[in-house]
Amino acid sequence: MNDIEPGEPYGSTKNLAKQGVAAVGMIAGGAFLFIVEALARFRVLGLVIGVAVGIVGLVALLSRDPEDKKPGALITAAGILVILSKTGIPVLKALAPTLLSIGAVGLIVMGLWKGIQFFKGLKSRS
């Protein structure tokens, strides 16, 4: 009676909820990377934040859910980039803020895309 009929144009409620959570998480992650970029200018705080971000990214990257792989890779790369930018290599010091901004914008764009898919799924369910 409450089963989803095969051939429906929208996914299950579980998948729809997953898309909504992923959208919010990606947008929040992008905003967080902008904050990390600002705080990474301080040497010790930058190293601590870089390690923390790298660990969070690895946890998301190693998740079983394929939806977490891309954001996990971006967040892990951001953590590694922050750590490497504190090593004193001039090239990395110059590129780190730019690459962090690109990663943040990438996460926000992916979150917006998931949000659009989520709202399309909601609309098709009504």
Side-chain angles (χ1 to χ4, degrees):
M1 183 162 130
N2 292 331
D3 293 338
I4 296 178
E5 298 176 12
E8 289 186 56
Y10 49 84
S12 68
T13 304
K14 182 179 176 182
N15 288 338
L16 194 58
K18 237 188 225 188
Q19 281 182 338
V21 169
V24 171
M26 288 179 195
I27 292 171
F32 180 71
L33 280 183
F34 278 127
I35 294 169
V36 166
E37 179 186 350
L39 294 177
R41 295 180 182 156
F42 304 106
R43 184 160 180 84
V44 176
L45 184 60
L47 283 172
V48 171
I49 289 174
V51 169
V53 169
I55 290 171
V56 169
L58 281 174
V59 169
L61 188 60
L62 297 175
S63 171
R64 292 183 190 176
D65 189 5
E67 295 287 326
D68 294 340
K69 301 281 185 197
K70 288 179 188 176
L74 276 173
I75 294 170
T76 302
I80 292 170
L81 184 62
V82 169
I83 293 168
L84 290 177
S85 71
K86 297 299 156 198
T87 61
I89 301 171
V91 174
L92 289 176
K93 277 190 171 187
L95 285 178
T98 304
L99 294 176
L100 282 172
S101 294
I102 290 170
V105 169
L107 273 175
I108 290 171
V109 167
M110 287 186 342
L112 290 174
W113 179 250
K114 285 288 180 192
I116 290 169
Q117 290 176 334
F118 171 75
F119 284 116
K120 280 184 179 179
L122 276 181
K123 184 177 178 182
S124 68
R125 293 185 70 87
S126 59

